[in-house]
Structures are given as structure tokens and as C-alpha cells.
Coordinates of all heavy atoms in Angstrom, one line a residue:
M1 N 0.8 -1.2 0.0 CA 0.0 0.0 0.0 C 0.9 1.2 0.0 O 1.8 1.4 0.8 CB -0.9 0.0 1.2 CG -1.8 1.2 1.3 SD -2.7 1.4 2.8 CE -3.3 -0.3 3.2
N2 N 0.6 2.1 -0.9 CA 1.3 3.4 -1.0 C 0.8 4.4 0.0 O -0.4 4.8 -0.1 CB 1.2 3.9 -2.4 CG 2.0 5.2 -2.6 OD1 2.6 5.7 -1.7 ND2 1.9 5.7 -3.8
I3 N 1.6 4.8 1.0 CA 1.1 5.8 1.9 C 1.9 7.1 1.8 O 2.0 7.9 2.8 CB 1.0 5.3 3.4 CG1 2.4 4.8 3.9 CG2 0.0 4.2 3.5 CD1 2.4 4.5 5.4
N4 N 2.5 7.3 0.7 CA 3.2 8.6 0.5 C 2.2 9.7 0.6 O 1.1 9.6 0.0 CB 3.9 8.6 -0.9 CG 5.0 7.6 -1.0 OD1 5.7 7.3 0.0 ND2 5.3 7.1 -2.2
T5 N 2.5 10.7 1.3 CA 1.6 11.8 1.4 C 1.8 12.9 0.4 O 2.9 13.0 -0.2 CB 1.7 12.5 2.8 OG1 3.1 12.9 3.0 CG2 1.4 11.4 3.9
K6 N 0.8 13.7 0.1 CA 0.9 14.9 -0.7 C 0.9 16.1 0.2 O -0.1 16.4 0.8 CB -0.3 14.9 -1.7 CG -0.2 14.0 -2.9 CD -1.3 14.3 -3.8 CE -1.2 13.5 -5.1 NZ -2.2 13.8 -6.1
K7 N 2.0 16.8 0.2 CA 2.2 18.0 1.0 C 1.1 19.0 0.6 O 0.6 19.7 1.5 CB 3.6 18.5 0.8 CG 3.9 19.6 1.8 CD 5.4 20.0 1.7 CE 5.8 20.9 2.8 NZ 7.2 21.3 2.8
S8 N 0.8 19.1 -0.7 CA -0.2 20.1 -1.1 C -1.6 19.9 -0.6 O -2.4 20.8 -0.5 CB -0.2 20.1 -2.6 OG -0.7 18.9 -3.1
L9 N -1.8 18.6 -0.1 CA -3.1 18.3 0.5 C -3.1 18.3 2.0 O -4.1 18.1 2.6 CB -3.6 16.9 0.0 CG -3.9 16.8 -1.5 CD1 -4.3 15.4 -1.9 CD2 -5.0 17.8 -2.0
G10 N -1.9 18.6 2.6 CA -1.8 18.6 4.0 C -2.1 17.3 4.7 O -2.6 17.2 5.7
Q11 N -1.7 16.2 4.0 CA -2.1 14.9 4.4 C -1.2 14.4 5.6 O 0.0 14.6 5.7 CB -1.9 13.8 3.3 CG -2.9 14.0 2.2 CD -2.7 13.0 1.1 OE1 -1.6 12.7 0.8 NE2 -3.8 12.6 0.5
N12 N -1.9 13.8 6.5 CA -1.3 13.0 7.6 C -2.3 11.9 8.0 O -3.5 12.1 7.9 CB -0.9 13.9 8.8 CG -2.0 14.6 9.4 OD1 -2.9 14.0 9.9 ND2 -2.0 15.9 9.2
F13 N -1.8 10.8 8.4 CA -2.6 9.6 8.7 C -2.4 9.1 10.1 O -1.3 9.1 10.6 CB -2.3 8.5 7.7 CG -2.5 8.9 6.2 CD1 -1.4 9.1 5.4 CD2 -3.7 9.1 5.7 CE1 -1.5 9.5 4.1 CE2 -3.9 9.4 4.4 CZ -2.8 9.6 3.6
S14 N -3.5 8.8 10.7 CA -3.5 8.2 12.1 C -3.8 6.7 12.0 O -4.8 6.3 11.4 CB -4.4 8.9 13.0 OG -4.4 8.3 14.3
F15 N -3.0 6.0 12.7 CA -3.2 4.5 12.8 C -3.5 4.1 14.2 O -3.6 2.9 14.5 CB -2.0 3.7 12.2 CG -1.8 4.0 10.8 CD1 -0.9 5.0 10.4 CD2 -2.5 3.4 9.8 CE1 -0.7 5.2 9.0 CE2 -2.3 3.6 8.4 CZ -1.4 4.6 8.1
D16 N -3.6 5.1 15.1 CA -3.8 4.8 16.6 C -5.2 4.5 16.8 O -6.1 5.4 16.8 CB -3.3 6.1 17.4 CG -3.4 5.9 18.9 OD1 -4.2 5.1 19.3 OD2 -2.7 6.6 19.6
K17 N -5.5 3.3 17.0 CA -6.9 2.8 17.2 C -7.6 3.4 18.4 O -8.8 3.7 18.3 CB -7.0 1.3 17.2 CG -6.7 0.7 15.9 CD -6.8 -0.8 15.8 CE -6.4 -1.3 14.5 NZ -7.1 -2.4 14.0
K18 N -6.9 3.7 19.5 CA -7.5 4.3 20.6 C -7.9 5.8 20.3 O -9.0 6.2 20.7 CB -6.5 4.3 21.8 CG -6.3 3.0 22.4 CD -5.4 3.0 23.6 CE -5.1 1.6 24.1 NZ -4.2 1.7 25.3
L19 N -7.1 6.5 19.6 CA -7.4 7.8 19.2 C -8.6 7.9 18.2 O -9.5 8.7 18.4 CB -6.2 8.5 18.5 CG -6.4 9.9 18.0 CD1 -6.8 10.9 19.1 CD2 -5.2 10.4 17.2
L20 N -8.6 7.0 17.3 CA -9.7 6.9 16.3 C -11.0 6.6 17.0 O -12.1 7.2 16.6 CB -9.4 5.9 15.2 CG -8.1 6.3 14.3 CD1 -7.7 5.1 13.5 CD2 -8.5 7.5 13.4
A21 N -11.0 5.7 17.9 CA -12.2 5.3 18.7 C -12.7 6.5 19.5 O -13.9 6.8 19.6 CB -11.9 4.1 19.6
K22 N -11.7 7.3 20.1 CA -12.1 8.4 20.9 C -12.7 9.5 20.0 O -13.7 10.2 20.4 CB -10.8 9.0 21.6 CG -11.1 10.1 22.6 CD -9.8 10.4 23.3 CE -10.1 11.5 24.3 NZ -8.9 11.8 25.1
I23 N -12.2 9.7 18.8 CA -12.7 10.7 17.9 C -14.1 10.3 17.4 O -15.0 11.2 17.4 CB -11.8 10.8 16.6 CG1 -10.5 11.5 17.0 CG2 -12.5 11.6 15.5 CD1 -9.4 11.4 15.9
S24 N -14.4 9.1 17.2 CA -15.7 8.6 16.7 C -16.7 8.4 17.8 O -17.9 8.4 17.5 CB -15.5 7.4 15.8 OG -15.1 6.3 16.6
K25 N -16.3 8.3 19.0 CA -17.2 7.9 20.1 C -18.4 8.9 20.3 O -19.5 8.5 20.4 CB -16.5 7.8 21.4 CG -17.3 7.2 22.5 CD -16.5 7.0 23.8 CE -17.5 6.4 24.8 NZ -16.7 6.2 26.1
P26 N -18.2 10.2 20.3 CA -19.3 11.2 20.5 C -20.4 11.2 19.4 O -21.4 11.7 19.6 CB -18.6 12.5 20.6 CG -17.2 12.3 20.7 CD -16.9 10.9 20.1
I27 N -20.1 10.6 18.3 CA -21.0 10.6 17.1 C -22.0 9.4 17.3 O -21.5 8.3 17.3 CB -20.3 10.5 15.8 CG1 -19.3 11.7 15.7 CG2 -21.3 10.5 14.6 CD1 -18.3 11.5 14.5
K28 N -23.2 9.7 17.6 CA -24.2 8.7 17.8 C -25.0 8.4 16.6 O -25.7 9.3 16.0 CB -25.2 9.1 18.9 CG -24.5 9.5 20.2 CD -23.8 8.4 20.9 CE -23.2 8.8 22.2 NZ -22.1 8.0 22.6
S29 N -25.0 7.2 16.1 CA -25.7 6.8 14.9 C -27.2 6.8 15.1 O -28.0 7.0 14.1 CB -25.3 5.4 14.4 OG -25.5 4.4 15.4
K30 N -27.8 6.8 16.3 CA -29.2 6.8 16.5 C -29.8 8.2 16.1 O -30.9 8.3 15.7 CB -29.6 6.4 17.9 CG -29.3 5.0 18.2 CD -29.6 4.7 19.6 CE -29.3 3.2 19.9 NZ -29.5 2.9 21.3
S31 N -29.0 9.2 16.3 CA -29.5 10.6 16.1 C -29.2 11.2 14.7 O -29.6 12.2 14.3 CB -29.1 11.5 17.2 OG -27.6 11.6 17.2
I32 N -28.3 10.4 14.0 CA -27.9 10.9 12.7 C -28.1 9.9 11.6 O -27.7 8.7 11.8 CB -26.3 11.3 12.7 CG1 -26.1 12.4 13.8 CG2 -25.8 11.7 11.4 CD1 -24.6 12.6 14.1
N33 N -28.7 10.2 10.5 CA -29.0 9.3 9.4 C -27.8 9.2 8.5 O -27.5 8.1 7.9 CB -30.2 9.7 8.6 CG -31.5 9.4 9.4 OD1 -31.6 8.5 10.2 ND2 -32.4 10.3 9.2
S34 N -27.1 10.3 8.2 CA -26.0 10.3 7.3 C -24.8 11.1 7.9 O -25.0 11.9 8.7 CB -26.4 11.1 6.0 OG -27.5 10.5 5.4
I35 N -23.7 10.7 7.4 CA -22.4 11.4 7.9 C -21.5 11.5 6.7 O -21.5 10.7 5.8 CB -21.7 10.6 9.0 CG1 -20.7 11.5 9.6 CG2 -21.2 9.3 8.6 CD1 -20.2 11.1 11.0
I36 N -20.8 12.7 6.7 CA -19.9 12.9 5.6 C -18.5 13.0 6.2 O -18.3 13.7 7.2 CB -20.2 14.3 4.9 CG1 -21.5 14.2 4.2 CG2 -19.1 14.6 3.9 CD1 -22.0 15.6 3.7
E37 N -17.6 12.2 5.7 CA -16.2 12.3 6.1 C -15.4 12.9 5.0 O -15.3 12.4 3.9 CB -15.6 10.9 6.4 CG -14.2 11.0 7.0 CD -13.6 9.6 7.2 OE1 -14.3 8.5 7.0 OE2 -12.5 9.6 7.7
I38 N -14.7 14.0 5.3 CA -13.9 14.7 4.3 C -12.5 14.3 4.5 O -11.9 14.5 5.6 CB -14.1 16.3 4.4 CG1 -15.6 16.6 4.1 CG2 -13.2 17.0 3.4 CD1 -15.9 18.0 4.4
G39 N -11.9 13.8 3.4 CA -10.5 13.4 3.4 C -10.3 12.1 4.2 O -9.4 12.1 5.1
P40 N -11.0 11.1 3.9 CA -10.8 9.8 4.7 C -9.5 9.1 4.5 O -9.2 8.2 5.2 CB -12.0 9.0 4.1 CG -12.3 9.5 2.8 CD -12.0 10.9 2.8
G41 N -8.8 9.5 3.4 CA -7.4 9.0 3.2 C -7.4 7.5 3.1 O -8.0 6.9 2.1
L42 N -6.8 6.8 4.0 CA -6.7 5.3 3.9 C -7.9 4.6 4.6 O -8.0 3.4 4.5 CB -5.4 4.8 4.7 CG -4.2 5.4 4.1 CD1 -3.0 5.1 4.9 CD2 -3.9 4.9 2.7
G43 N -8.8 5.4 5.2 CA -10.0 4.8 5.8 C -9.9 4.3 7.2 O -10.8 3.6 7.7
T44 N -8.9 4.8 7.9 CA -8.8 4.3 9.3 C -9.9 4.8 10.2 O -10.4 4.0 11.0 CB -7.4 4.7 9.9 OG1 -7.1 6.1 9.7 CG2 -6.3 3.9 9.2
L45 N -10.3 6.1 10.1 CA -11.4 6.6 10.8 C -12.7 6.1 10.2 O -13.7 5.8 10.9 CB -11.4 8.1 10.9 CG -12.6 8.8 11.6 CD1 -12.6 8.4 13.0 CD2 -12.5 10.3 11.5
T46 N -12.7 5.9 8.9 CA -13.9 5.4 8.2 C -14.3 4.1 8.8 O -15.5 3.8 9.0 CB -13.6 5.2 6.7 OG1 -13.1 6.4 6.2 CG2 -14.8 4.8 5.9
D47 N -13.4 3.2 9.1 CA -13.7 1.9 9.7 C -14.6 2.1 11.0 O -15.6 1.4 11.2 CB -12.5 1.1 10.1 CG -11.7 0.6 8.9 OD1 -12.3 0.5 7.8 OD2 -10.6 0.2 9.0
F48 N -14.2 3.0 11.8 CA -15.0 3.3 13.1 C -16.4 3.8 12.8 O -17.3 3.5 13.4 CB -14.2 4.2 14.0 CG -13.0 3.5 14.7 CD1 -11.8 3.4 14.0 CD2 -13.2 2.9 15.9 CE1 -10.7 2.8 14.6 CE2 -12.1 2.3 16.5 CZ -10.9 2.2 15.8
L49 N -16.4 4.8 11.8 CA -17.7 5.4 11.5 C -18.6 4.3 10.8 O -19.8 4.3 11.1 CB -17.5 6.5 10.5 CG -16.7 7.7 11.1 CD1 -16.4 8.7 10.0 CD2 -17.4 8.3 12.3
Y50 N -18.1 3.5 10.0 CA -18.9 2.4 9.3 C -19.5 1.5 10.3 O -20.7 1.1 10.1 CB -17.9 1.7 8.3 CG -18.6 0.6 7.5 CD1 -19.4 0.9 6.5 CD2 -18.5 -0.7 7.9 CE1 -20.1 0.0 5.7 CE2 -19.1 -1.7 7.1 CZ -19.9 -1.4 6.1 OH -20.6 -2.3 5.4
K51 N -18.9 1.2 11.3 CA -19.4 0.2 12.3 C -20.6 0.8 13.1 O -21.3 0.1 13.7 CB -18.3 -0.2 13.3 CG -17.2 -1.0 12.7 CD -16.1 -1.3 13.6 CE -15.0 -2.0 12.9 NZ -13.8 -2.1 13.7
K52 N -20.8 2.1 13.0 CA -21.9 2.7 13.7 C -23.2 2.6 13.0 O -24.2 3.0 13.5 CB -21.6 4.2 14.0 CG -20.4 4.4 15.0 CD -20.2 5.9 15.3 CE -19.2 6.1 16.4 NZ -19.8 6.0 17.7
K53 N -23.2 2.0 11.9 CA -24.5 1.7 11.2 C -25.3 2.8 10.7 O -26.5 2.9 10.9 CB -25.3 0.7 12.0 CG -24.6 -0.5 12.5 CD -24.3 -1.4 11.3 CE -23.6 -2.7 11.8 NZ -22.9 -3.4 10.8
Y54 N -24.7 3.8 10.1 CA -25.4 4.9 9.5 C -26.2 4.4 8.3 O -25.8 3.5 7.7 CB -24.5 6.1 9.1 CG -23.8 6.7 10.2 CD1 -22.4 6.4 10.5 CD2 -24.4 7.5 11.1 CE1 -21.7 7.0 11.5 CE2 -23.7 8.1 12.2 CZ -22.4 7.8 12.4 OH -21.8 8.3 13.4
K55 N -27.3 5.2 8.0 CA -28.0 4.8 6.8 C -27.2 5.2 5.5 O -27.3 4.5 4.5 CB -29.4 5.5 6.7 CG -30.3 5.0 7.8 CD -31.7 5.7 7.7 CE -32.6 5.1 8.8 NZ -33.8 5.8 8.8
Q56 N -26.4 6.2 5.6 CA -25.6 6.6 4.5 C -24.2 7.2 5.0 O -24.2 8.0 6.0 CB -26.3 7.7 3.7 CG -25.5 8.1 2.4 CD -26.3 9.1 1.6 OE1 -27.1 9.9 2.1 NE2 -26.0 9.2 0.3
L57 N -23.2 6.8 4.4 CA -21.8 7.3 4.8 C -21.2 7.8 3.5 O -21.1 7.1 2.5 CB -21.0 6.2 5.4 CG -19.5 6.5 5.7 CD1 -19.5 7.6 6.8 CD2 -18.8 5.3 6.3
I58 N -20.9 9.1 3.5 CA -20.4 9.8 2.3 C -18.9 10.1 2.5 O -18.6 10.8 3.5 CB -21.2 11.0 1.9 CG1 -22.6 10.7 1.7 CG2 -20.6 11.7 0.7 CD1 -23.6 11.9 1.6
L59 N -18.1 9.6 1.6 CA -16.6 9.9 1.8 C -16.2 10.8 0.6 O -16.4 10.5 -0.5 CB -15.8 8.6 1.7 CG -16.3 7.5 2.7 CD1 -15.5 6.2 2.4 CD2 -16.2 7.9 4.1
I60 N -15.6 11.9 1.0 CA -15.1 12.9 0.0 C -13.6 12.8 0.0 O -13.0 13.3 1.0 CB -15.6 14.3 0.2 CG1 -17.2 14.3 0.2 CG2 -15.0 15.3 -0.8 CD1 -17.8 15.6 0.6
E61 N -13.0 12.3 -1.0 CA -11.5 12.2 -1.1 C -11.0 12.8 -2.4 O -11.4 12.4 -3.4 CB -11.1 10.7 -1.0 CG -9.6 10.4 -1.1 CD -8.8 11.2 0.0 OE1 -9.1 11.0 1.2 OE2 -8.0 12.0 -0.4
K62 N -10.1 13.8 -2.2 CA -9.5 14.5 -3.4 C -8.4 13.7 -4.0 O -8.1 13.7 -5.2 CB -9.0 15.8 -2.9 CG -8.6 16.7 -4.1 CD -8.2 18.1 -3.6 CE -7.8 19.0 -4.7 NZ -7.5 20.3 -4.3
D63 N -7.6 12.9 -3.2 CA -6.5 12.2 -3.7 C -6.9 10.9 -4.3 O -7.3 9.9 -3.7 CB -5.5 11.9 -2.5 CG -4.2 11.2 -2.9 OD1 -4.1 10.8 -4.1 OD2 -3.3 11.2 -2.0
T64 N -6.9 10.8 -5.6 CA -7.4 9.7 -6.4 C -6.6 8.4 -6.1 O -7.2 7.3 -6.3 CB -7.3 9.9 -7.9 OG1 -6.0 10.3 -8.3 CG2 -8.3 11.1 -8.3
R65 N -5.4 8.5 -5.6 CA -4.7 7.3 -5.2 C -5.3 6.6 -4.0 O -5.1 5.4 -3.9 CB -3.2 7.7 -4.8 CG -2.4 8.4 -5.9 CD -1.1 8.9 -5.3 NE -1.3 9.8 -4.2 CZ -0.3 10.1 -3.3 NH1 0.9 9.6 -3.5 NH2 -0.6 10.9 -2.3
R66 N -6.2 7.2 -3.3 CA -6.8 6.6 -2.1 C -8.1 5.9 -2.4 O -8.6 5.1 -1.6 CB -7.0 7.6 -1.0 CG -5.7 8.4 -0.7 CD -4.7 7.6 0.0 NE -3.5 8.4 0.2 CZ -2.3 7.9 0.0 NH1 -2.1 6.6 -0.4 NH2 -1.2 8.6 0.1
I67 N -8.7 6.2 -3.5 CA -10.1 5.8 -3.8 C -10.2 4.3 -3.9 O -11.1 3.7 -3.3 CB -10.7 6.5 -5.0 CG1 -10.8 8.0 -4.7 CG2 -12.0 5.9 -5.5 CD1 -11.2 8.9 -5.8
Q68 N -9.3 3.6 -4.5 CA -9.3 2.1 -4.6 C -9.2 1.5 -3.3 O -9.9 0.5 -3.0 CB -8.3 1.6 -5.6 CG -8.6 1.8 -7.0 CD -9.9 1.1 -7.4 OE1 -11.0 1.8 -7.4 NE2 -9.9 -0.1 -7.7
T69 N -8.4 2.0 -2.4 CA -8.2 1.5 -1.1 C -9.5 1.6 -0.3 O -10.0 0.7 0.4 CB -7.1 2.3 -0.3 OG1 -5.9 2.1 -1.0 CG2 -6.9 1.7 1.1
L70 N -10.2 2.8 -0.4 CA -11.4 3.0 0.2 C -12.5 2.1 -0.3 O -13.3 1.5 0.5 CB -11.9 4.4 0.1 CG -11.0 5.5 0.8 CD1 -11.4 6.9 0.3 CD2 -11.3 5.4 2.3
K71 N -12.6 1.8 -1.6 CA -13.6 1.0 -2.2 C -13.4 -0.5 -1.7 O -14.4 -1.2 -1.4 CB -13.5 1.0 -3.7 CG -14.1 2.2 -4.3 CD -14.0 2.2 -5.8 CE -14.6 3.5 -6.4 NZ -14.5 3.5 -7.9
K72 N -12.2 -0.9 -1.5 CA -11.9 -2.3 -1.0 C -12.3 -2.3 0.5 O -12.7 -3.4 1.0 CB -10.5 -2.6 -1.2 CG -10.1 -2.9 -2.6 CD -8.6 -3.2 -2.7 CE -8.2 -3.3 -4.2 NZ -6.7 -3.4 -4.3
R73 N -12.1 -1.3 1.2 CA -12.3 -1.3 2.7 C -13.7 -1.2 3.0 O -14.1 -1.9 4.0 CB -11.5 0.0 3.2 CG -11.2 -0.2 4.7 CD -10.2 0.9 5.0 NE -9.7 0.5 6.4 CZ -8.5 0.6 6.8 NH1 -7.6 1.0 6.0 NH2 -8.2 0.3 8.0
V74 N -14.5 -0.5 2.3 CA -16.0 -0.3 2.6 C -16.8 -0.5 1.3 O -17.3 0.4 0.8 CB -16.3 1.0 3.3 CG1 -15.9 1.0 4.7 CG2 -15.7 2.2 2.5
N75 N -16.9 -1.7 0.9 CA -17.7 -2.1 -0.3 C -19.1 -2.3 0.1 O -19.5 -3.5 0.5 CB -17.1 -3.3 -1.0 CG -17.8 -3.6 -2.3 OD1 -18.5 -2.8 -2.8 ND2 -17.5 -4.8 -2.8
D76 N -19.9 -1.3 0.2 CA -21.3 -1.4 0.6 C -22.1 -0.3 -0.1 O -21.7 0.8 -0.4 CB -21.3 -1.1 2.1 CG -22.7 -1.4 2.8 OD1 -23.7 -1.2 2.2 OD2 -22.7 -1.9 3.9
T77 N -23.4 -0.6 -0.4 CA -24.3 0.3 -1.1 C -24.6 1.5 -0.3 O -25.0 2.5 -0.8 CB -25.6 -0.4 -1.5 OG1 -26.2 -0.9 -0.3 CG2 -25.3 -1.5 -2.5
K78 N -24.5 1.5 1.1 CA -24.7 2.7 1.9 C -23.6 3.7 1.9 O -23.7 4.7 2.4 CB -25.1 2.3 3.3 CG -24.0 1.8 4.1 CD -24.5 1.6 5.6 CE -23.3 1.4 6.5 NZ -23.6 1.3 7.9
V79 N -22.4 3.3 1.3 CA -21.3 4.1 1.3 C -21.1 4.7 -0.1 O -21.1 4.0 -1.1 CB -20.0 3.3 1.6 CG1 -18.8 4.2 1.6 CG2 -20.1 2.7 3.0
T80 N -20.9 6.0 -0.2 CA -20.7 6.7 -1.4 C -19.3 7.4 -1.3 O -19.0 8.1 -0.4 CB -21.7 7.8 -1.7 OG1 -23.0 7.2 -1.7 CG2 -21.5 8.5 -3.0
I81 N -18.5 7.1 -2.3 CA -17.1 7.7 -2.4 C -17.1 8.7 -3.5 O -17.4 8.4 -4.6 CB -16.0 6.7 -2.6 CG1 -16.1 5.6 -1.4 CG2 -14.7 7.3 -2.6 CD1 -15.2 4.4 -1.6

């Protein structure tokens, strides 16, 4: 997997599962039908959001190198990339 970053996009990636769980914890899927994640990158936070069972998860990714990784990671009709 290519994780070279693009400086022009200000990319940085977190792989710390405790941090990602802490970021996603306050978001309650019972009160929200859809969620938009901007710049999901490799999908590490996306994994936590996906498990919350939203009706729709929208991922907006500018770096085309990341899109295939995201498609493999969350191949579901409720996810739009």
C-alpha cells in the first residue's frame, strides 16, 4: 500500500486505534442518518464510522490514489465515495 503523502493536500494519517475510537465515540448513529467524512485517506477513521451503522456514509476524497483503497475497505451500497 502506498502511503506517500501529498504535501499540497496537508495529508497525515493516524493509525492509533485508541485515538480513532475516541474521535468517533461522540457521534451517535441513532440521532444521525447520514455522515460525511472529508479526506478519509486510507479509511482508518472510516472503519470506526462504518461500524456505527449509519443509513448513509459519504466519503469525499480528493487524492485519487486513495479511492481504490477505500472501495476495498468499505464495499457497501450505503457508502458513497
Side-chain angles (χ1 to χ4, degrees):
M1 178 187 319
N2 179 3
I3 58 170
N4 293 329
T5 60
K6 282 189 174 181
K7 192 173 185 177
S8 64
L9 296 176
Q11 292 177 324
N12 56 68
F13 302 107
S14 177
F15 298 96
D16 182 336
K17 291 185 183 214
K18 287 182 183 179
L19 175 65
L20 295 166
K22 189 174 182 177
I23 291 169
S24 67
K25 187 176 181 178
I27 303 168
K28 306 291 184 207
S29 59
K30 291 179 183 175
S31 62
I32 301 171
N33 288 326
S34 301
I35 192 162
I36 298 171
E37 183 182 3
I38 299 172
L42 301 172
T44 52
L45 178 59
T46 305
D47 288 343
F48 286 86
L49 297 174
Y50 181 76
K51 290 174 187 172
K52 290 185 174 273
K53 306 295 182 195
Y54 296 105
K55 290 182 182 175
Q56 184 180 25
L57 179 58
I58 301 167
L59 308 175
I60 300 174
E61 180 56 60
K62 187 174 182 178
D63 188 347
T64 56
R65 301 174 301 166
R66 308 291 174 222
I67 293 173
Q68 283 303 94
T69 301
L70 291 168
K71 284 181 179 179
K72 290 177 187 174
R73 202 164 191 141
V74 285
N75 185 14
D76 189 324
T77 57
K78 74 174 189 171
V79 179
T80 304
I81 302 173

